Amino acid sequence: MKTYLYRLRFVVTVIAATVLPILITGIVLQKAAEQALLEEKKQKLTAITEQMDFALTQTYAEMLVEMGGAEASRDEQIRMLSSKLEPLTNRIAAAHPGIGVGYYAAELDAIVTYGPGTESLHVGKSISADHPGREVMETREPAVVIGEQVRGNIMNAMIPIIRDNQMIGYVWANELMSNIDVQLAGMRQSITIILGIGCVVAAIVSGLLVHRLEVILAEIKSGLKRLSYDLSFRMKRLDGEPGEITGAINKLAKDLQESRSHTETMMDSMENGVIALDQEGHLTAWNESATRLLGLPAEVKGRQYAQVFTDSPLLLEMIASALQEAKTNHDTEWWHPHPERGLLCLNITTSIWRGPLDEVLGVIIMIEDRTEWKQLESRLAQAERLAVIGEWATSIAHEVRNPLTSIKAFTQIIEEDLPSEHDSREYTGIIMEEVERLNRFADELLLFSRPSEETHVAVNLDRVIRHSLKLTERTAANKEVSIKLDTGSELPQVMASPELLKQVFLNILLNALQAVPNGGAVHLKTERQADHVRIHISNEGSAIAKENLDMVFEPFFTTKSSGTGLGLAISQRIVQAYGGHIYVENTSEGVRFTVELPVRKEGE
């Protein structure tokens, strides 16, 4: 509705601006024409009076003497002068239709002739005391007067008749105003018709021009709206000056596209995420890294930051302090739950976004993914810790093995000297079993401390995995647990010891089978990622306590009533020895262990 009113107002304004000058000009011209017509009438009547004055070659007294009426009565003199002058006035009146002419004698104070003949009834009459003719005779100055006079409402031109410096009367020529009004009315009608036609033509032309302008403006407006979200769009070339406008807009759009493309390419090439917010806290732009790290969908553009980061109070606080207090933050650690990658460690830096004139435009957020760095830091710390424990474990293993060998030997000697039915044989048997258990523990300690001493060969992962599953079939069957294998495409080879990798998978599979409830399921899935291969082993059941997730690979850590707590620690040491790593995480269904190993390179 607002747009319609604006367009209507615009059309009315343009038409008014076009038509009003024509109307005003027409009115002024009409007034000028009327004045010109009246002036032309005055000049014509004045010219006739001058002609009549020139035609009067004798004075009234001379005419009366010539006609023998010098001693005649006033009325007789008037009759005699009328008969003398009537042919002249009738002839002049006939030459100028609609014009009344005549002579007035001052001495007789009467009209002595009036042409045309139809006006002769006024002959012999005296003019009134306020008649303008008396002023003409008194002042001896010509005059043109409009108003009610002898003949009626007329325009009357009068000049005094002066002979030998004597005022003998005046001569006049007049025209009825009704006749002049008819001429004026005709002229006004003609001018009005011309003005009407001019206004209609001007209105039509203005309407067409306005319509054309609206079409051009609508096209430019539509093009600008399209360009607001698609800088690759180009407006079509128009004729004339509008074409110069669209050409300039297209050039500007091209320059902006190139500039934005350059900027976006540069921004999207950055590993760190960048988010821009305006002064009101609305998200205006972000790069691909920000999308990857925070999972920002396109529809959040223009939304308020508090509506987008609702589950991130730390980030909300940093943005609020930057927007409201111009307070920036540097290298603030923020743990963000990613829907696919899990918990990410992000380094957040906020800064004030300023324009070329140092005006505040908003806030810029820089996001650095420190997850891998944190994981690497954790691995290095764990590796250092395990190295120290490994050295300690090696010393313990060697120190334990020597006495165990002696104990085992002496126990065998004692057992050989005892009768077959002697009660002490039960105790020697227990001693032998415990010695064997301690020997196995010592072997595990040695394996934990030096897993890389095994040879590195090309290993067929598919074969190792299937063999490991074969060894756990009996345990799975006893608990009625199903093991589901999904190896996808053909697995690549890795450089490792097949026996040690088998030990890794057995340790994890057995833990999974122990954790899964009866009738549950264990899932084993493999996937190739660039230069690594991942083996996911998931089991249904209870999740690992959050505080224990970082402890499961620590030596001697166990939540079981029996066991040494070395199985997962040994597995981690084995995988790390071959350049890989084992991860653990809770899932919606239970727990998932992921073994990551580097793929064998060409030439290895």
Side-chain angles (χ1 to χ4, degrees):
M1 184 65 180
K2 187 180 291 185
T3 304
Y4 173 77
L5 291 175
Y6 169 78
R7 291 178 63 187
L8 181 61
R9 187 166 64 247
F10 179 68
V11 171
V12 170
T13 302
V14 171
I15 292 176
T18 307
V19 172
L20 279 178
I22 296 175
L23 289 175
I24 294 171
T25 303
I27 292 171
V28 171
L29 288 175
Q30 180 174 311
K31 293 294 183 183
E34 290 177 356
Q35 292 297 325
L37 178 63
L38 292 175
E39 189 63 31
E40 186 268 334
K41 291 292 184 181
K42 289 179 182 179
Q43 292 176 3
K44 178 181 177 181
L45 293 176
T46 300
I48 293 174
T49 57
E50 290 174 350
Q51 180 184 2
M52 292 174 63
D53 183 29
F54 180 77
L56 188 65
T57 58
Q58 296 176 301
T59 64
Y60 297 135
E62 290 173 346
M63 291 181 190
L64 289 173
V65 170
E66 185 180 294
M67 291 184 293
E71 299 298 329
S73 64
R74 176 179 176 274
D75 290 341
E76 185 62 24
Q77 287 180 345
I78 290 171
R79 186 188 65 77
M80 294 173 68
L81 289 173
S82 177
S83 62
K84 175 72 174 178
L85 296 172
E86 184 176 2
L88 173 64
T89 55
N90 285 341
R91 186 169 65 252
I92 293 173
H96 303 281
I99 302 297
V101 296
Y103 291 94
Y104 194 87
E107 187 177 349
L108 297 174
D109 193 21
I111 298 171
V112 294
T113 183
Y114 208 137
T118 54
E119 302 294 338
S120 61
L121 60 105
H122 300 299
V123 174
K125 291 181 179 179
S126 298
I127 58 176
S128 62
D130 59 350
H131 192 284
R134 295 195 181 278
E135 184 177 356
V136 168
M137 291 186 290
E138 183 179 348
T139 62
R140 297 189 177 190
E141 293 291 334
V144 178
V145 180
I146 297 175
E148 287 289 337
Q149 297 172 45
V150 176
R151 193 181 177 193
N153 188 21
I154 58 174
M155 175 186 284
N156 195 10
M158 298 164 286
I159 60 173
I161 303 174
I162 301 173
R163 299 292 185 268
D164 299 329
N165 203 28
Q166 293 293 318
M167 172 64 61
I168 65 171
Y170 73 91
V171 62
W172 73 85
N174 60 45
E175 187 173 358
L176 291 171
M177 285 304 297
S178 58
N179 293 340
I180 296 175
D181 288 340
V182 169
Q183 295 179 41
L184 288 174
M187 184 179 66
R188 290 192 191 104
Q189 184 178 12
S190 300
I191 293 175
T192 302
I193 291 173
I194 293 171
L195 283 177
I197 294 173
C199 289
V200 170
V201 171
I204 292 173
V205 172
S206 299
L208 292 175
L209 288 175
V210 168
H211 176 69
R212 175 58 180 163
L213 182 60
E214 283 185 338
V215 170
I216 293 172
L217 289 177
E219 190 163 343
I220 293 175
K221 182 180 177 182
S222 174
L224 290 173
K225 187 175 181 180
R226 174 82 177 272
L227 285 170
S228 66
Y229 61 86
D230 180 13
L231 284 175
S232 63
F233 173 73
R234 294 293 178 268
M235 299 171 65
K236 71 177 183 179
R237 181 78 179 181
L238 301 175
D239 297 330
E241 292 185 358
E244 295 179 9
I245 296 174
T246 56
I249 292 174
N250 286 337
K251 185 179 183 304
L252 180 61
K254 180 183 177 183
D255 294 341
L256 280 174
Q257 184 183 19
E258 291 175 353
S259 175
R260 176 177 288 185
S261 177
H262 180 71
T263 304
E264 288 179 350
T265 302
M266 183 172 61
M267 292 288 289
D268 289 337
S269 299
M270 295 175 62
E271 291 187 3
N272 292 342
V274 180
I275 301 176
L277 295 88
D278 62 17
Q279 287 180 296
E280 285 72 38
H282 299 110
L283 275 71
T284 59
W286 58 88
N287 64 355
E288 287 294 331
S289 295
T291 302
R292 174 173 50 82
L293 293 173
L294 302 183
L296 294 174
E299 55 267 21
V300 302
K301 187 172 185 180
R303 289 175 59 183
Q304 240 274 340
Y305 73 94
Q307 300 174 344
V308 179
F309 305 115
T310 52
D311 299 329
S312 309
L314 177 62
L315 186 59
L316 291 175
E317 183 181 347
M318 287 191 290
I319 296 174
S321 63
L323 285 172
Q324 298 168 12
E325 305 170 17
K327 180 181 177 182
T328 58
N329 291 273
H330 297 280
D331 299 329
T332 302
E333 191 174 278
W334 173 45
W335 289 91
H336 170 64
H338 194 276
E340 297 178 0
R341 297 175 57 194
L343 202 60
L344 300 182
C345 179
L346 304 177
N347 201 26
I348 305 297
T349 297
T350 59
S351 58
I352 305 301
W353 178 15
R354 298 185 183 277
L357 301 178
D358 202 37
E359 72 275 21
V360 176
L361 301 179
V363 173
I364 299 294
I365 304 173
M366 297 288 294
I367 307 169
E368 181 184 2
D369 187 0
R370 306 277 287 180
T371 307
E372 291 186 4
W373 185 87
K374 276 285 184 182
Q375 291 173 350
L376 180 60
E377 186 181 58
S378 176
R379 289 182 206 170
L380 289 173
Q382 187 184 51
E384 290 177 1
R385 207 163 49 246
L386 293 180
V388 172
I389 296 174
E391 292 178 6
W392 174 73
T394 302
S395 300
I396 291 176
H398 285 298
E399 290 297 326
V400 168
R401 267 188 149 176
N402 292 332
L404 285 178
T405 303
S406 300
I407 292 171
K408 183 177 180 181
F410 286 119
T411 301
Q412 287 174 341
I413 293 171
I414 292 172
E415 189 176 39
E416 288 175 359
D417 292 341
L418 291 173
S420 60
E421 300 298 330
H422 197 281
D423 293 339
S424 296
R425 278 186 173 273
E426 179 182 354
Y427 302 116
T428 57
I430 292 173
I431 292 171
M432 295 291 288
E433 289 177 1
E434 291 302 314
V435 167
E436 287 298 327
R437 191 176 68 81
L438 287 173
N439 266 324
R440 288 194 299 274
F441 178 66
D443 290 339
E444 287 182 346
L445 287 176
L446 289 173
L447 181 60
F448 171 76
S449 64
R450 294 192 301 271
S452 60
E453 290 182 358
E454 292 288 333
T455 56
H456 288 56
V457 296
V459 177
N460 185 321
L461 267 181
D462 187 71
R463 188 179 302 164
V464 171
I465 290 171
R466 292 183 184 277
H467 191 202
S468 301
L469 291 175
K470 192 73 175 175
L471 295 175
T472 59
E473 282 182 355
R474 175 67 61 181
T475 304
N478 291 338
K479 293 190 69 174
E480 298 180 351
V481 173
S482 62
I483 300 178
K484 300 178 180 178
L485 176 63
D486 179 11
T487 57
S489 58
E490 184 178 351
L491 291 177
Q493 290 184 334
V494 298
M495 295 300 293
S497 164
E499 292 302 320
L500 290 182
L501 283 186
K502 191 187 303 177
Q503 183 67 38
V504 170
F505 294 133
L506 278 174
N507 282 339
I508 298 174
L509 284 168
L510 289 174
N511 280 344
L513 289 171
Q514 289 171 9
V516 72
N518 289 346
V522 173
H523 301 268
L524 194 151
K525 181 180 179 181
T526 62
E527 62 174 333
R528 171 77 179 268
Q529 286 196 344
D531 56 351
H532 282 73
V533 62
R534 288 185 174 183
I535 302 95
H536 304 288
I537 300 174
S538 309
N539 65 269
E540 299 173 353
S542 302
I544 299 175
K546 188 176 180 181
E547 61 272 15
N548 293 337
L549 274 175
D550 295 332
M551 301 289 293
V552 293
F553 297 110
E554 294 293 329
F556 311 112
F557 174 81
T558 181
T559 58
K560 302 173 187 176
S561 57
S562 62
T564 61
L566 285 173
L568 290 176
I570 291 172
S571 298
Q572 184 72 283
R573 288 278 284 171
I574 291 171
V575 173
Q576 286 181 345
Y578 299 130
H581 197 75
I582 303 177
Y583 306 93
V584 61
E585 60 184 329
N586 291 322
T587 64
S588 58
E589 297 178 350
V591 180
R592 178 171 66 186
F593 281 84
T594 299
V595 179
E596 184 178 270
L597 290 166
V599 174
R600 177 194 177 196
K601 298 178 182 178
E602 292 292 334
E604 287 186 337

